[in-house]
Amino acid sequence: MSERRVFRFAPSPNGYLHLGHAYSALLNFTLASNCGGRFLLRIEDIDLGRARPAFEAAIHEDLAWLGLEWERPVRRQSEHFEDYAAALESLGAMGLLYACDCKRSDIGRFAAAHSDWPRDPDSAPLYPGTCRDKPRRSVREVLAEGGAALRLDMRKAAALAGEGLFWRERGAPGRAPDSTVPDAAEGFSLVRAEPAQWGDVALARKDTPASYHIAVVVDDALQGVTDVVRGRDLFFATSLHRLLQKLLRLPEPRYFHHELILDDAGEKLAKSRGSATLRAFRDAGVSAAEVWRKLGF
Ligand code: GLU
């Protein structure tokens, strides 16, 4: 019997959904419907300083307006910090995490003082390793105190995961997939994961006890997600996600990083720039069917 595929749309309630989110949600929903799969909504609200109940309510409202249906109950990450702490503890037990109390500004200053200091794919300077060799502390203790970040010792982690870490990506790597809805039989290619480009990434922070990276791999596994379909802005993060899946012995979903919907100036739509939100379209009298059409469905 073939598996029932599971897709998810996982927005962060930090702003109103815009056309880019709608594209991702419609693509996941359509792919799930086309293969008789399941479609989940997950609220990624671990960033407690930025998540707002009003934005979360608006996500439900906007998706329902688009005509989407999703399974209940909806997983809200802020209710599951214990699951992420357990995963961090496993990494800690492998000797892969260390506490770090450097400030972002310390790292920035260090990078500025070293010409050509390497940067991660999001353009943040790599962590220089200042706290790596301090005596290790237990993950539980660091999380309970809440005063420090937990960083992954990348060299150790990569060595433990071994050579030849790949993920399966729909379409050819390096080529932006076209906007048509890919059919279920379309091929996947193998992309080599290069987690070292992220350096000693923080998996928990002083103000957030779990990072996006740890929460997303734990949740995709717990929810049995078979197909991660999300924007190309997260393509490089997948290297890190594959590494965490391998270390935590989690199942490996297939990936499809779809093109991003750009604004008229060719820039990525962003909540922070106040890009056209779905509610602005709705208030202007645009119908949900028009949004589907505008996005090529
Ligand atoms: N929560 C992320 C975002 O809103 C998406 C994460 C994912 O799909 O893996 O950008």
Side-chain angles (χ1 to χ4, degrees):
M1 213 177 80
S2 68
E3 66 174 345
R4 182 145 186 240
R5 291 165 67 179
V6 181
F7 295 77
R8 90 303 194 269
F9 174 57
S12 303
N14 305 336
Y16 291 119
L17 298 185
H18 54 58
L19 274 187
H21 298 108
Y23 180 72
S24 210
L26 295 186
L27 187 56
N28 274 286
F29 178 81
T30 305
L31 289 168
S33 308
N34 286 354
C35 68
R38 296 168 56 201
F39 173 65
L40 312 180
L41 169 64
R42 183 167 74 223
I43 300 294
E44 300 211 325
D45 58 348
I46 36 175
D47 189 346
L48 301 173
R50 291 176 68 215
R52 297 276 176 275
F55 292 134
E56 184 173 341
I59 289 171
H60 286 255
E61 225 174 87
D62 291 347
L63 296 180
W65 174 71
L66 284 172
L68 305 192
E69 283 166 26
W70 56 93
E71 292 184 12
R72 321 283 160 139
V74 167
R75 186 171 170 92
R76 303 174 66 239
Q77 290 189 324
S78 59
E79 292 170 353
H80 299 283
F81 282 117
E82 191 45 44
D83 290 334
Y84 316 133
L88 290 171
E89 240 183 334
S90 305
L91 295 172
M94 291 178 236
L96 299 179
L97 294 186
Y98 62 89
C100 163
D101 46 24
C102 295
K103 296 197 188 63
R104 228 182 273 260
S105 53
D106 298 333
I107 302 168
R109 249 195 314 277
F110 182 95
H114 293 75
S115 61
D116 293 331
W117 186 254
R119 291 181 173 263
D120 72 20
D122 288 342
S123 311
L126 292 198
Y127 180 64
T130 321
C131 296
R132 192 187 296 130
D133 296 323
K134 290 184 184 165
R136 297 278 162 112
R137 296 166 56 201
S138 95
V139 165
R140 284 284 163 189
E141 186 190 300
V142 176
L143 289 177
E145 273 177 21
L150 285 167
R151 289 188 178 276
L152 184 67
D153 185 331
M154 181 55 80
R155 251 175 309 191
K156 255 192 179 174
L160 200 62
E163 287 293 306
L165 197 54
F166 292 89
W167 80 81
R168 279 183 299 163
E169 175 82 24
R170 186 191 291 273
R175 207 199 95 220
D178 57 330
S179 59
T180 54
V181 177
D183 100 35
E186 193 182 320
F188 285 79
S189 345
L190 289 179
V191 181
R192 181 185 290 275
E194 290 172 10
Q197 62 191 333
W198 291 95
D200 285 6
V201 69
L203 295 183
R205 289 194 182 278
K206 186 160 78 118
D207 40 4
T208 314
S211 73
Y212 156 65
H213 301 297
I214 194 76
V216 79
V217 297
V218 167
D219 282 355
D220 284 337
L222 277 175
Q223 295 192 288
V225 171
T226 59
D227 292 77
V228 173
V229 176
R230 60 187 178 193
R232 285 194 73 82
D233 51 338
L234 291 169
F235 183 88
F236 294 105
T238 308
S239 278
L240 199 50
H241 300 173
R242 267 305 292 135
L243 174 68
L244 294 173
Q245 286 156 358
K246 176 87 190 277
L247 294 169
L248 294 167
R249 299 172 193 273
L250 301 176
E252 179 194 343
R254 290 174 287 251
Y255 288 88
F256 174 35
H257 292 93
H258 61 71
E259 63 172 325
L260 298 177
I261 303 294
L262 303 178
D263 66 15
D264 294 337
E267 299 269 329
K268 188 187 146 188
L269 294 177
K271 282 182 270 208
S272 50
R273 275 206 294 269
S275 303
T277 59
L278 288 180
R279 44 198 46 218
F281 283 109
R282 186 159 83 231
D283 292 345
V286 176
S287 72
E290 281 168 284
V291 172
W292 281 72
R293 262 199 310 279
K294 189 174 165 66
L295 292 172
F297 292 89

